[in-house]
Amino acid sequence: MSLNCDIVKDLVALYHDGVASEASEAEIKAHLKECESCREYYKQYALTTPASLNLNLSGPGNYGELAKHMRIRRLWMLVSALAYVSASICALIMLLMRMKRK
Ligand SMILES: [Zn+2]
């Protein structure tokens, strides 16, 4: 192992985001292969930062995935807003009809 574990743990964030230099990336990769505790640390880091995983480790594929996700969420918000509005309109109409009948 050429790198110290503390240094690897510092650099894991850069490595994970894909912004480490090629040299340190190679060193970290080699270290993670050999060092159980750093591998575990890296796994935990990757799990706790899904956002940067989506944005950075990334081909256009992952970015498209994120955009799709956001579009679906926006669609859901629109749908639930429409459902709310039409439900209140229905309630209003039923109320008016009942009032007319009397
Ligand atoms: Zn280590």
Side-chain angles (χ1 to χ4, degrees):
M1 285 176 224
S2 48
L3 280 183
N4 180 299
C5 285
D6 288 333
I7 296 173
V8 169
K9 282 169 185 168
D10 283 344
L11 292 176
V12 147
L14 300 180
Y15 172 71
H16 179 261
D17 288 352
V19 293
S21 70
E22 264 175 50
S24 25
E25 200 179 303
E27 290 286 333
I28 293 165
K29 218 178 271 181
H31 184 96
L32 289 179
K33 222 178 263 179
E34 294 170 37
C35 179
E36 174 86 48
S37 86
C38 286
R39 201 156 55 226
E40 206 50 43
Y41 180 86
Y42 176 66
K43 222 184 286 174
Q44 286 303 315
Y45 182 87
L47 281 178
T48 53
T49 51
S52 65
L53 187 78
N54 278 337
L55 289 174
N56 288 313
L57 273 190
S58 73
N62 274 341
Y63 184 73
E65 199 67 25
L66 191 72
K68 200 169 94 186
H69 192 75
M70 283 170 75
R71 218 177 304 145
I72 289 171
R73 196 196 292 188
R74 217 176 307 154
L75 198 69
W76 266 115
M77 279 166 68
L78 193 72
V79 166
S80 50
L82 279 177
Y84 179 76
V85 168
S86 56
S88 357
I89 289 174
C90 278
L92 202 68
I93 289 172
M94 278 162 68
L95 202 71
L96 285 175
M97 281 167 72
R98 202 175 292 175
M99 277 164 70
K100 263 187 194 168
R101 219 178 284 159
K102 274 180 190 171

